[in-house]
Amino acid sequence: MKKITLLDLKAKKDQGKKITMLTAYDYPFAQMVDEAGIDIILVGDSLGMVVLGYESTLPVSMEEMLHHIRAVKRAVKRAFLIGDMPFMSYQASVEEAVRNAGRFMKAGCDAVKLEGGQEVTDKVEAIVKAGIPVLGHIGLTPQSIAQLGGYRVQGRNVQSAKRLVQDALALEKAGVFGIVLECVPYQLTKLITERCSVITIGIGAGPYCDGQVLVIHDLLGLTLGHKPKFVKTYVNLAPQIKQALFQYQTEVKEGIFPDFSHAYSLSEEAWGAIKKAVED
Ligand code: KIV
């Protein structure tokens, strides 16, 4: 099985073939995503909300990310693996950004992702200079939620749209191999994708990106509560899982499970010998 490389991703853009990307945070999900043939697996800091139960991505630590990256890495044979740098792992200084990006690579990542535009290009340049591929992320950047004033679509007015285009071009100049566009109107996404030579990956950014990403728990119907407009739930697993749990509970209470088909047994000869030994 051939491992996906940056050259394969770039070739897809050049040939007009769509790039597929999904999040995964643990061994079994990563194995399924990898075997399904998805191009890129992102161990996103969305982990904080969908797996660890935090209210935002802000509390997620480097150690938590590394723990999950290592589990995912053990499952991945083919997909390009990206680790999402958590809040305050790259913002404070260029040195810290390079050191933390290096820790992700040592844990098995093929690249790192970080949020922000012109304000993070010094970090992007330094990480790329260290030989580490970087995926940018602009538009709705959840780590800056306090500054953005909530989870809302970005680039809706001239000032904000111009800023997004400038951010994309600045990231490209700083050396990113691609940019995630989150919650951006599709007309603006199209313009950015046409103007940038690097790949664009959309989430809530319409059909004109070079690729698409979703949080796997959203796609599988495993996230409870509010679901953004851009999410498509391909299977609603949460009710099916709950139904299985209720059935298990009922069957244990009523003595239906386990039956003898789920139990181990001894041969008559072995049981006879054991019984005799125990009774003597
Ligand atoms: O953390 C994450 O899962 C992400 C994707 C939604 C792009 O950043």
Side-chain angles (χ1 to χ4, degrees):
M1 198 177 303
K2 187 187 165 297
K3 175 103 175 123
I4 301 223
T5 67
L6 278 183
L7 291 180
D8 298 319
L9 299 175
K10 181 77 173 77
K12 280 204 161 189
K13 176 176 175 104
D14 295 342
Q15 294 161 11
K17 291 185 184 160
K18 293 286 184 187
I19 296 164
T20 54
M21 172 162 154
L22 274 178
T23 65
Y25 316 100
D26 61 21
Y27 184 87
F29 275 101
Q31 198 170 37
M32 286 187 273
V33 175
D34 196 57
E35 286 176 8
I38 299 294
D39 296 314
I40 305 175
I41 294 183
L42 171 71
V43 183
D45 66 349
S46 49
L47 145 81
M49 292 161 93
V50 296
V51 174
L52 300 180
Y54 296 142
E55 287 201 355
S56 73
T57 58
L58 300 192
V60 178
S61 68
M62 274 296 292
E63 300 316 316
E64 285 165 332
M65 287 303 301
L66 285 164
H67 179 71
H68 287 268
I69 285 168
R70 289 190 188 106
V72 167
K73 171 65 186 171
R74 287 191 277 272
V76 173
K77 305 251 180 310
R78 181 183 171 277
F80 191 77
L81 177 59
I82 304 181
D84 204 4
M85 297 190 69
F87 181 56
M88 290 319 292
S89 68
Y90 59 94
Q91 286 91 341
S93 73
V94 166
E95 289 72 23
E96 224 176 324
V98 175
R99 204 162 293 123
N100 282 325
R103 292 182 77 196
F104 273 18
M105 298 302 279
K106 281 175 187 277
C109 288
D110 299 310
V112 302
K113 174 170 92 59
L114 52 82
E115 295 181 8
Q118 292 155 77
E119 71 282 10
V120 294
T121 51
D122 55 339
K123 279 88 178 185
V124 171
E125 271 174 22
I127 297 171
V128 171
K129 217 169 169 185
I132 300 171
V134 179
L135 179 64
H137 181 162
I138 57 175
L140 172 54
T141 45
Q143 291 177 17
S144 312
I145 206 64
Q147 206 170 41
L148 297 177
Y151 296 92
R152 56 180 61 152
V153 178
Q154 303 296 304
R156 276 196 184 279
N157 59 48
V158 172
Q159 193 191 3
S160 160
K162 261 180 103 173
R163 169 87 195 185
L164 279 179
V165 175
Q166 286 161 358
D167 281 343
L169 294 173
L171 286 171
E172 177 175 10
K173 189 155 174 254
V176 297
F177 70 87
I179 303 170
V180 169
L181 300 172
E182 180 165 351
C183 290
V184 174
Y186 65 83
Q187 297 92 337
L188 191 53
T189 299
K190 187 167 185 284
L191 186 143
I192 292 172
T193 300
E194 285 166 358
R195 286 225 185 148
C196 285
S197 62
V198 298
I199 62 175
T200 58
I201 307 278
I203 174 161
Y208 295 118
C209 282
D210 299 310
Q212 296 292 328
V213 58
L214 278 180
V215 167
I216 192 162
H217 287 59
D218 290 341
L219 178 158
L220 298 176
L222 287 170
T223 23
L224 310 169
H226 172 72
K227 218 173 290 141
K229 173 187 168 129
F230 63 78
V231 167
K232 181 166 177 184
T233 304
Y234 285 81
V235 56
N236 203 10
L237 286 184
Q240 292 180 45
I241 292 174
K242 267 199 203 156
Q243 172 54 33
L245 303 183
F246 280 129
Q247 193 175 339
Y248 163 74
Q249 185 176 211
T250 305
E251 290 195 3
V252 170
K253 282 183 184 164
E254 294 179 1
I256 298 168
F257 176 82
D259 60 11
F260 292 113
S261 70
H262 293 99
Y264 301 104
S265 73
L266 293 162
S267 67
E268 281 205 18
E269 190 188 0
W271 178 227
I274 290 169
K275 212 167 151 201
K276 187 166 179 303
V278 170
E279 282 169 0
D280 279 351

